[in-house]
Amino acid sequence: CAIEAYPNLPASVHPGVVTGQALIDLLEHAKENGYAIPAVNCVTSSSINACLEAARKADSPIIIQFSSGGSQFYAGKGLDNTGYKAAIAGAVSGAFH
């Protein structure tokens, strides 16, 4: 992303994965300003790209989420998911996407 911060959001919120106090600040900002942040369950890189493009066009935050099955599919449905290892790997991979 070409910008380091979003002008209409709290200063702690930067492009990329938002965690900790920045996430709390973002959720409080949404509540105070009366808007929702959509959470979209993604299972492919195409669905992640589509969500990110839509959020950018709308100049709005978005939550990319993964279900256990969706994240396993993202990693590779044929992978052994004993102990949810494939699901965890898929979710981490999706977050890095």
Coordinates of all heavy atoms in Angstrom, one line a residue:
C1 N 0.8 -1.2 0.0 CA 0.0 0.0 0.0 C 0.9 1.2 0.0 O 1.9 1.3 0.7 CB -0.9 0.0 1.2 SG -2.2 1.2 1.2
A2 N 0.5 2.2 -0.7 CA 1.3 3.4 -0.9 C 1.2 4.4 0.3 O 2.0 5.3 0.4 CB 0.9 4.1 -2.2
I3 N 0.3 4.2 1.2 CA 0.1 5.1 2.3 C 0.5 4.4 3.6 O 0.4 3.2 3.7 CB -1.3 5.7 2.4 CG1 -2.3 4.6 2.6 CG2 -1.6 6.5 1.2 CD1 -3.7 5.1 2.8
E4 N 1.0 5.2 4.6 CA 1.4 4.6 5.8 C 0.3 4.6 6.9 O 0.4 3.9 7.9 CB 2.6 5.2 6.4 CG 3.8 5.0 5.4 CD 5.1 5.5 6.0 OE1 5.2 5.7 7.2 OE2 6.1 5.7 5.2
A5 N -0.7 5.4 6.7 CA -1.8 5.5 7.7 C -3.0 6.0 6.9 O -2.9 6.6 5.8 CB -1.5 6.4 8.8
Y6 N -4.2 5.7 7.4 CA -5.4 6.1 6.8 C -5.9 7.4 7.5 O -6.0 7.5 8.7 CB -6.5 5.0 7.0 CG -6.1 3.8 6.3 CD1 -5.7 2.7 7.1 CD2 -6.2 3.7 5.0 CE1 -5.4 1.5 6.4 CE2 -5.9 2.5 4.3 CZ -5.5 1.4 5.1 OH -5.1 0.2 4.4
P7 N -6.2 8.5 6.7 CA -6.5 9.8 7.2 C -7.8 9.8 8.0 O -7.9 10.7 8.9 CB -6.6 10.7 6.0 CG -6.8 9.8 4.9 CD -6.1 8.5 5.2
N8 N -8.7 9.0 7.8 CA -10.0 9.0 8.5 C -10.2 8.0 9.6 O -11.3 7.8 10.1 CB -11.2 8.9 7.5 CG -11.2 10.0 6.5 OD1 -10.9 11.2 6.8 ND2 -11.5 9.7 5.2
L9 N -9.1 7.4 9.9 CA -9.1 6.3 11.0 C -8.1 6.7 12.1 O -7.3 7.6 11.9 CB -8.7 5.0 10.4 CG -9.7 4.4 9.4 CD1 -9.2 3.1 8.9 CD2 -11.1 4.2 10.0
P10 N -8.2 6.1 13.2 CA -7.3 6.4 14.3 C -5.8 6.3 13.9 O -5.5 5.5 13.0 CB -7.6 5.4 15.4 CG -9.0 5.0 15.1 CD -9.2 5.1 13.6
A11 N -5.0 7.1 14.4 CA -3.5 7.2 14.0 C -2.8 5.9 14.2 O -1.9 5.6 13.5 CB -2.8 8.3 14.8
S12 N -3.3 5.0 15.1 CA -2.7 3.8 15.4 C -2.9 2.7 14.3 O -2.3 1.7 14.3 CB -3.1 3.2 16.8 OG -4.5 3.0 16.7
V13 N -3.9 3.0 13.5 CA -4.3 2.0 12.4 C -3.5 2.2 11.2 O -3.6 3.3 10.6 CB -5.8 2.1 12.1 CG1 -6.2 1.1 11.0 CG2 -6.6 1.8 13.4
H14 N -2.8 1.2 10.8 CA -1.9 1.2 9.6 C -2.3 0.1 8.6 O -3.0 -0.9 9.0 CB -0.5 1.1 9.9 CG 0.0 2.1 10.9 ND1 0.4 3.4 10.5 CD2 0.2 2.1 12.2 CE1 0.7 4.1 11.5 NE2 0.6 3.4 12.6
P15 N -2.0 0.2 7.3 CA -2.3 -0.8 6.4 C -1.7 -2.2 6.8 O -0.7 -2.2 7.4 CB -1.7 -0.3 5.1 CG -1.6 1.1 5.2 CD -1.4 1.4 6.7
G16 N -2.4 -3.2 6.6 CA -2.0 -4.6 6.9 C -2.8 -5.2 8.0 O -3.9 -4.8 8.3
V17 N -2.2 -6.1 8.7 CA -2.9 -6.8 9.8 C -2.9 -5.9 11.0 O -1.9 -5.3 11.4 CB -2.1 -8.1 10.2 CG1 -2.8 -8.8 11.4 CG2 -2.1 -9.1 9.0
V18 N -4.1 -5.7 11.5 CA -4.3 -4.8 12.7 C -4.6 -5.7 13.9 O -5.4 -6.5 14.0 CB -5.5 -3.9 12.4 CG1 -5.8 -3.0 13.6 CG2 -5.3 -3.1 11.2
T19 N -3.7 -5.4 15.0 CA -3.8 -6.2 16.2 C -3.7 -5.3 17.4 O -3.4 -4.1 17.2 CB -2.7 -7.3 16.3 OG1 -1.5 -6.6 16.3 CG2 -2.8 -8.2 15.1
G20 N -3.9 -5.8 18.6 CA -3.7 -5.1 19.8 C -4.4 -3.8 20.0 O -5.6 -3.7 19.6
Q21 N -3.8 -2.8 20.4 CA -4.4 -1.5 20.7 C -5.0 -0.9 19.4 O -6.0 -0.2 19.4 CB -3.4 -0.5 21.4 CG -4.1 0.8 21.8 CD -5.2 0.5 22.9 OE1 -5.0 -0.2 23.8 NE2 -6.4 1.1 22.6
A22 N -4.3 -1.1 18.3 CA -4.8 -0.5 17.0 C -6.2 -1.1 16.7 O -7.0 -0.4 16.2 CB -3.8 -0.8 15.9
L23 N -6.3 -2.4 16.9 CA -7.6 -3.1 16.7 C -8.7 -2.5 17.6 O -9.8 -2.2 17.2 CB -7.5 -4.6 16.9 CG -8.8 -5.4 16.7 CD1 -9.4 -5.1 15.3 CD2 -8.6 -6.8 16.9
I24 N -8.3 -2.3 18.9 CA -9.3 -1.7 19.9 C -9.7 -0.3 19.4 O -10.8 0.0 19.4 CB -8.7 -1.7 21.3 CG1 -8.6 -3.2 21.8 CG2 -9.5 -0.9 22.2 CD1 -7.7 -3.3 23.0
D25 N -8.7 0.4 19.0 CA -8.9 1.8 18.5 C -9.9 1.8 17.3 O -10.8 2.6 17.2 CB -7.6 2.5 18.2 CG -6.8 2.8 19.4 OD1 -7.2 2.7 20.5 OD2 -5.6 3.1 19.2
L26 N -9.6 0.9 16.4 CA -10.4 0.8 15.2 C -11.9 0.4 15.5 O -12.8 1.0 15.0 CB -9.9 -0.2 14.2 CG -10.7 -0.5 12.9 CD1 -10.8 0.8 12.1 CD2 -10.0 -1.6 12.1
L27 N -12.1 -0.6 16.4 CA -13.4 -1.0 16.7 C -14.1 0.1 17.5 O -15.4 0.3 17.3 CB -13.4 -2.3 17.6 CG -12.8 -3.5 16.8 CD1 -12.7 -4.7 17.7 CD2 -13.7 -3.8 15.6
E28 N -13.4 0.8 18.4 CA -14.1 2.0 19.1 C -14.4 3.1 18.1 O -15.5 3.7 18.2 CB -13.1 2.5 20.2 CG -13.0 1.6 21.4 CD -12.0 2.0 22.4 OE1 -11.3 3.0 22.2 OE2 -11.9 1.4 23.5
H29 N -13.6 3.3 17.1 CA -13.9 4.3 16.1 C -15.1 4.0 15.3 O -16.0 4.8 15.1 CB -12.7 4.5 15.2 CG -12.8 5.6 14.2 ND1 -13.4 5.4 12.9 CD2 -12.5 6.9 14.2 CE1 -13.4 6.5 12.3 NE2 -12.8 7.5 13.0
A30 N -15.2 2.7 15.0 CA -16.4 2.3 14.2 C -17.7 2.4 15.1 O -18.7 2.9 14.6 CB -16.3 0.8 13.8
K31 N -17.6 2.1 16.3 CA -18.8 2.2 17.2 C -19.1 3.7 17.4 O -20.3 4.1 17.3 CB -18.4 1.6 18.6 CG -19.6 1.6 19.6 CD -19.2 0.9 20.8 CE -20.4 0.9 21.8 NZ -20.0 0.2 23.1
E32 N -18.2 4.5 17.6 CA -18.4 6.0 17.9 C -19.0 6.7 16.6 O -19.7 7.6 16.7 CB -17.1 6.7 18.3 CG -16.7 6.3 19.7 CD -15.3 6.8 20.0 OE1 -14.6 7.4 19.1 OE2 -14.8 6.4 21.1
N33 N -18.6 6.2 15.4 CA -19.0 6.8 14.2 C -20.1 6.0 13.5 O -20.5 6.4 12.4 CB -17.8 7.0 13.3 CG -16.9 8.0 13.8 OD1 -17.1 9.2 13.6 ND2 -15.8 7.6 14.5
G34 N -20.7 5.0 14.1 CA -21.8 4.3 13.6 C -21.7 3.5 12.3 O -22.6 3.5 11.5
Y35 N -20.5 2.8 12.2 CA -20.4 2.0 11.0 C -19.9 0.6 11.4 O -19.4 0.4 12.5 CB -19.4 2.6 10.0 CG -18.0 2.7 10.4 CD1 -17.1 1.7 10.2 CD2 -17.5 3.9 11.0 CE1 -15.7 1.8 10.5 CE2 -16.2 4.0 11.4 CZ -15.3 3.0 11.1 OH -14.0 3.1 11.5
A36 N -20.2 -0.3 10.5 CA -19.8 -1.7 10.8 C -18.5 -2.0 9.9 O -18.3 -1.4 8.9 CB -20.9 -2.7 10.4
I37 N -17.8 -3.0 10.4 CA -16.6 -3.5 9.6 C -17.0 -4.9 9.2 O -17.1 -5.8 10.0 CB -15.3 -3.5 10.5 CG1 -15.0 -2.1 11.0 CG2 -14.2 -4.0 9.7 CD1 -13.9 -2.0 12.0
P38 N -17.1 -5.1 7.9 CA -17.5 -6.4 7.4 C -16.4 -7.4 7.6 O -15.2 -7.1 7.5 CB -17.8 -6.2 5.9 CG -17.0 -5.0 5.5 CD -16.9 -4.1 6.8
A39 N -16.8 -8.6 7.9 CA -15.9 -9.8 8.0 C -16.3 -10.8 7.0 O -17.5 -11.2 6.9 CB -16.0 -10.4 9.4
V40 N -15.4 -11.1 6.1 CA -15.7 -11.9 5.0 C -14.9 -13.2 5.1 O -13.6 -13.2 5.2 CB -15.4 -11.2 3.6 CG1 -15.7 -12.1 2.4 CG2 -16.1 -9.9 3.5
N41 N -15.6 -14.4 5.1 CA -14.9 -15.6 5.2 C -14.3 -16.0 3.8 O -15.0 -16.1 2.8 CB -15.9 -16.7 5.6 CG -15.2 -18.0 5.9 OD1 -14.2 -18.0 6.6 ND2 -15.7 -19.1 5.4
C42 N -13.0 -16.1 3.7 CA -12.3 -16.4 2.5 C -11.7 -17.8 2.5 O -11.2 -18.3 3.5 CB -11.2 -15.3 2.3 SG -11.8 -13.7 2.0
V43 N -11.6 -18.4 1.3 CA -11.1 -19.7 1.1 C -10.0 -19.8 0.0 O -9.4 -20.8 -0.1 CB -12.1 -20.8 0.9 CG1 -13.0 -20.9 2.1 CG2 -13.0 -20.5 -0.3
T44 N -9.9 -18.7 -0.8 CA -8.9 -18.7 -1.9 C -8.2 -17.3 -1.9 O -8.7 -16.4 -1.4 CB -9.6 -19.0 -3.2 OG1 -10.4 -17.8 -3.5 CG2 -10.3 -20.3 -3.3
S45 N -7.1 -17.3 -2.6 CA -6.4 -16.0 -2.8 C -7.2 -15.1 -3.6 O -7.2 -13.9 -3.4 CB -5.0 -16.2 -3.4 OG -5.1 -16.9 -4.6
S46 N -8.0 -15.6 -4.5 CA -8.9 -14.8 -5.4 C -9.9 -14.1 -4.5 O -10.2 -12.9 -4.7 CB -9.6 -15.6 -6.4 OG -8.7 -16.1 -7.3
S47 N -10.5 -14.8 -3.5 CA -11.5 -14.1 -2.7 C -10.9 -13.1 -1.8 O -11.4 -12.1 -1.5 CB -12.3 -15.2 -1.9 OG -11.5 -16.0 -1.0
I48 N -9.6 -13.4 -1.3 CA -8.9 -12.4 -0.5 C -8.7 -11.1 -1.3 O -8.9 -10.0 -0.9 CB -7.6 -12.9 0.0 CG1 -7.9 -14.1 1.0 CG2 -6.8 -11.8 0.7 CD1 -6.6 -14.8 1.5
N49 N -8.2 -11.3 -2.6 CA -7.9 -10.2 -3.4 C -9.1 -9.4 -3.7 O -9.1 -8.1 -3.7 CB -7.3 -10.7 -4.8 CG -5.9 -11.1 -4.6 OD1 -5.2 -10.8 -3.6 ND2 -5.4 -11.9 -5.6
A50 N -10.2 -10.0 -4.0 CA -11.5 -9.3 -4.3 C -11.9 -8.5 -3.1 O -12.3 -7.3 -3.2 CB -12.6 -10.3 -4.6
C51 N -11.8 -9.0 -1.9 CA -12.2 -8.3 -0.7 C -11.3 -7.1 -0.4 O -11.8 -6.0 -0.1 CB -12.2 -9.2 0.5 SG -13.5 -10.4 0.5
L52 N -10.0 -7.3 -0.6 CA -9.1 -6.2 -0.4 C -9.3 -5.1 -1.4 O -9.2 -3.9 -1.1 CB -7.6 -6.7 -0.4 CG -7.2 -7.7 0.7 CD1 -5.8 -8.2 0.5 CD2 -7.3 -6.9 2.1
E53 N -9.5 -5.5 -2.7 CA -9.8 -4.5 -3.7 C -11.1 -3.7 -3.4 O -11.1 -2.5 -3.6 CB -9.9 -5.1 -5.1 CG -8.6 -5.6 -5.6 CD -8.7 -6.3 -7.0 OE1 -9.7 -6.2 -7.6 OE2 -7.8 -7.1 -7.3
A54 N -12.1 -4.4 -3.0 CA -13.4 -3.7 -2.6 C -13.2 -2.7 -1.5 O -13.7 -1.6 -1.5 CB -14.4 -4.7 -2.3
A55 N -12.4 -3.2 -0.4 CA -12.2 -2.3 0.7 C -11.4 -1.1 0.3 O -11.6 0.0 0.8 CB -11.5 -3.1 1.8
R56 N -10.4 -1.3 -0.5 CA -9.6 -0.2 -1.0 C -10.4 0.8 -1.8 O -10.3 2.1 -1.6 CB -8.4 -0.7 -1.8 CG -7.5 0.4 -2.3 CD -6.8 1.1 -1.0 NE -6.2 2.3 -1.4 CZ -6.3 3.4 -0.6 NH1 -7.0 3.4 0.5 NH2 -5.8 4.5 -1.0
K57 N -11.3 0.3 -2.7 CA -12.1 1.2 -3.5 C -13.1 2.0 -2.6 O -13.4 3.1 -2.9 CB -12.9 0.4 -4.5 CG -12.1 0.0 -5.7 CD -12.9 -0.8 -6.7 CE -12.0 -1.3 -7.9 NZ -12.8 -2.1 -8.8
A58 N -13.6 1.3 -1.5 CA -14.5 2.0 -0.6 C -13.8 2.8 0.4 O -14.4 3.5 1.2 CB -15.4 1.0 0.1
D59 N -12.4 2.8 0.5 CA -11.6 3.4 1.5 C -12.1 3.1 2.9 O -12.4 3.9 3.7 CB -11.6 4.9 1.2 CG -10.4 5.6 2.0 OD1 -9.4 4.9 2.3 OD2 -10.6 6.8 2.3
S60 N -12.3 1.8 3.1 CA -12.9 1.3 4.3 C -12.1 0.0 4.8 O -11.6 -0.7 4.0 CB -14.3 0.9 4.0 OG -15.0 0.4 5.1
P61 N -12.1 -0.1 6.1 CA -11.5 -1.3 6.7 C -12.4 -2.6 6.4 O -13.6 -2.5 6.2 CB -11.4 -1.0 8.2 CG -12.5 0.0 8.5 CD -12.6 0.8 7.2
I62 N -11.7 -3.7 6.5 CA -12.4 -5.0 6.3 C -11.7 -6.0 7.1 O -10.5 -5.9 7.4 CB -12.4 -5.4 4.8 CG1 -13.4 -6.6 4.5 CG2 -11.0 -5.7 4.3 CD1 -13.6 -6.8 3.1
I63 N -12.4 -7.0 7.5 CA -11.9 -8.2 8.2 C -11.9 -9.4 7.3 O -12.9 -9.8 6.8 CB -12.7 -8.5 9.5 CG1 -12.6 -7.3 10.5 CG2 -12.1 -9.7 10.2 CD1 -13.6 -7.4 11.7
I64 N -10.7 -9.9 7.1 CA -10.6 -11.2 6.3 C -10.6 -12.3 7.4 O -9.7 -12.3 8.2 CB -9.3 -11.2 5.4 CG1 -9.3 -10.0 4.5 CG2 -9.2 -12.5 4.7 CD1 -10.3 -10.0 3.4
Q65 N -11.5 -13.2 7.3 CA -11.6 -14.2 8.3 C -11.5 -15.6 7.6 O -11.8 -15.7 6.4 CB -12.8 -14.1 9.1 CG -14.1 -14.5 8.4 CD -15.3 -14.3 9.3 OE1 -15.3 -13.6 10.3 NE2 -16.4 -14.9 8.9
F66 N -11.1 -16.6 8.4 CA -10.9 -17.9 7.9 C -11.6 -18.9 8.8 O -11.3 -18.9 10.0 CB -9.5 -18.3 7.8 CG -8.7 -17.5 6.8 CD1 -7.9 -16.4 7.3 CD2 -8.7 -17.8 5.5 CE1 -7.2 -15.7 6.4 CE2 -7.9 -17.0 4.6 CZ -7.2 -16.0 5.1
S67 N -12.5 -19.7 8.3 CA -13.0 -20.8 9.1 C -12.0 -21.9 9.2 O -11.0 -21.9 8.4 CB -14.3 -21.4 8.5 OG -14.1 -22.0 7.3
S68 N -12.2 -22.9 10.0 CA -11.2 -24.0 10.1 C -11.2 -24.7 8.7 O -10.1 -25.0 8.2 CB -11.7 -25.0 11.2 OG -10.8 -26.1 11.2
G69 N -12.3 -25.0 8.2 CA -12.4 -25.7 6.9 C -11.8 -24.9 5.8 O -11.2 -25.3 4.9
G70 N -12.2 -23.6 5.8 CA -11.7 -22.6 4.8 C -10.2 -22.5 4.8 O -9.5 -22.4 3.8
S71 N -9.6 -22.4 6.0 CA -8.2 -22.3 6.1 C -7.5 -23.6 5.7 O -6.4 -23.5 5.1 CB -7.7 -21.8 7.5 OG -8.2 -22.6 8.5
Q72 N -8.1 -24.7 6.0 CA -7.5 -26.0 5.6 C -7.5 -26.0 4.0 O -6.5 -26.4 3.4 CB -8.3 -27.2 6.1 CG -7.7 -28.5 5.7 CD -8.5 -29.7 6.1 OE1 -9.6 -29.5 6.7 NE2 -8.0 -30.9 5.7
F73 N -8.6 -25.6 3.4 CA -8.7 -25.6 2.0 C -7.7 -24.7 1.4 O -7.0 -25.0 0.4 CB -10.1 -25.1 1.5 CG -10.4 -25.1 0.1 CD1 -10.7 -26.3 -0.6 CD2 -10.2 -24.0 -0.7 CE1 -10.9 -26.3 -1.9 CE2 -10.4 -24.0 -2.1 CZ -10.8 -25.2 -2.7
Y74 N -7.4 -23.5 2.0 CA -6.4 -22.6 1.6 C -5.0 -23.2 1.6 O -4.2 -23.0 0.7 CB -6.5 -21.3 2.4 CG -5.7 -20.1 1.8 CD1 -6.3 -19.3 1.0 CD2 -4.4 -19.9 2.2 CE1 -5.7 -18.2 0.4 CE2 -3.7 -18.8 1.6 CZ -4.3 -18.0 0.7 OH -3.7 -16.9 0.2
A75 N -4.8 -24.0 2.6 CA -3.5 -24.7 2.7 C -3.3 -25.8 1.7 O -2.3 -26.1 1.1 CB -3.3 -25.3 4.1
G76 N -4.4 -26.4 1.4 CA -4.5 -27.6 0.4 C -5.3 -28.7 1.0 O -5.0 -29.3 2.0
K77 N -6.5 -28.8 0.5 CA -7.5 -29.7 1.1 C -7.0 -31.2 1.3 O -7.4 -31.9 2.1 CB -8.7 -29.8 0.2 CG -9.9 -30.4 0.8 CD -10.4 -29.7 2.0 CE -11.7 -30.4 2.5 NZ -12.1 -29.9 3.8
G78 N -6.0 -31.6 0.5 CA -5.4 -32.9 0.6 C -4.4 -33.1 1.8 O -4.0 -34.2 2.1
L79 N -4.1 -32.0 2.4 CA -3.1 -32.1 3.5 C -3.7 -32.7 4.8 O -4.9 -32.5 5.0 CB -2.6 -30.7 3.9 CG -1.7 -30.0 2.8 CD1 -1.3 -28.6 3.3 CD2 -0.5 -30.8 2.4
D80 N -2.9 -33.4 5.5 CA -3.4 -34.0 6.8 C -3.7 -32.9 7.8 O -2.9 -32.0 8.0 CB -2.3 -34.9 7.3 CG -2.7 -35.6 8.6 OD1 -3.9 -35.6 9.0 OD2 -1.7 -36.0 9.3
N81 N -4.9 -32.9 8.3 CA -5.3 -31.8 9.3 C -5.3 -32.3 10.7 O -6.0 -31.7 11.5 CB -6.6 -31.3 8.9 CG -6.9 -29.9 9.5 OD1 -6.0 -29.1 9.7 ND2 -8.2 -29.7 9.8
T82 N -4.5 -33.4 11.0 CA -4.4 -33.8 12.4 C -3.9 -32.7 13.3 O -3.0 -32.0 13.0 CB -3.4 -35.0 12.5 OG1 -3.9 -36.0 11.6 CG2 -3.3 -35.5 13.9
G83 N -4.7 -32.5 14.4 CA -4.3 -31.4 15.3 C -4.5 -30.0 14.6 O -3.9 -29.0 15.1
Y84 N -5.3 -29.9 13.6 CA -5.6 -28.7 12.9 C -4.4 -28.0 12.3 O -4.3 -26.8 12.0 CB -6.3 -27.7 13.8 CG -7.7 -28.1 14.2 CD1 -7.9 -28.7 15.4 CD2 -8.8 -28.0 13.3 CE1 -9.2 -29.1 15.8 CE2 -10.0 -28.4 13.7 CZ -10.2 -29.0 14.9 OH -11.5 -29.4 15.3
K85 N -3.3 -28.8 12.0 CA -2.1 -28.3 11.5 C -2.2 -27.6 10.1 O -1.7 -26.5 9.9 CB -1.0 -29.3 11.5 CG -0.5 -29.7 12.9 CD 0.6 -30.7 12.9 CE 1.1 -31.0 14.3 NZ 2.1 -32.0 14.3
A86 N -3.0 -28.3 9.2 CA -3.2 -27.7 7.9 C -4.0 -26.5 8.0 O -3.8 -25.5 7.3 CB -3.8 -28.7 7.0
A87 N -5.1 -26.5 8.9 CA -5.9 -25.3 9.0 C -5.1 -24.1 9.5 O -5.3 -23.0 9.1 CB -7.1 -25.6 9.9
I88 N -4.3 -24.4 10.5 CA -3.5 -23.3 11.1 C -2.5 -22.7 10.0 O -2.4 -21.5 9.8 CB -2.7 -23.8 12.3 CG1 -3.7 -24.0 13.4 CG2 -1.7 -22.7 12.8 CD1 -3.1 -24.8 14.6
A89 N -1.9 -23.6 9.3 CA -0.9 -23.2 8.2 C -1.7 -22.4 7.1 O -1.1 -21.4 6.7 CB -0.3 -24.4 7.6
G90 N -2.9 -22.8 6.8 CA -3.7 -22.1 5.8 C -4.0 -20.7 6.3 O -4.0 -19.7 5.5
A91 N -4.5 -20.6 7.5 CA -4.8 -19.3 8.1 C -3.7 -18.4 8.2 O -3.8 -17.2 7.8 CB -5.5 -19.5 9.5
V92 N -2.5 -18.9 8.6 CA -1.3 -18.0 8.6 C -0.9 -17.6 7.2 O -0.6 -16.4 7.0 CB -0.2 -18.8 9.3 CG1 1.2 -18.1 9.2 CG2 -0.5 -19.0 10.8
S93 N -0.9 -18.5 6.3 CA -0.6 -18.2 4.9 C -1.5 -17.1 4.3 O -1.1 -16.2 3.7 CB -0.7 -19.5 4.0 OG -0.4 -19.2 2.7
G94 N -2.8 -17.3 4.6 CA -3.8 -16.3 4.2 C -3.5 -14.9 4.8 O -3.7 -13.9 4.1
A95 N -3.2 -14.9 6.1 CA -2.9 -13.6 6.7 C -1.6 -12.9 6.1 O -1.6 -11.7 6.0 CB -2.6 -13.8 8.2
F96 N -0.7 -13.7 5.7 CA 0.5 -13.1 5.1 C 0.2 -12.7 3.6 O 0.9 -11.9 3.1 CB 1.7 -14.1 5.1 CG 2.5 -14.1 6.3 CD1 2.4 -15.2 7.2 CD2 3.3 -13.0 6.6 CE1 3.1 -15.1 8.4 CE2 4.1 -13.0 7.8 CZ 4.0 -14.1 8.6
H97 N -0.9 -13.2 3.0 CA -1.2 -12.9 1.7 C -1.5 -11.4 1.6 O -1.1 -10.7 0.8 CB -2.5 -13.6 1.2 CG -2.9 -13.3 -0.1 ND1 -2.5 -13.9 -1.2 CD2 -3.8 -12.4 -0.6 CE1 -3.0 -13.4 -2.3 NE2 -3.8 -12.5 -2.0

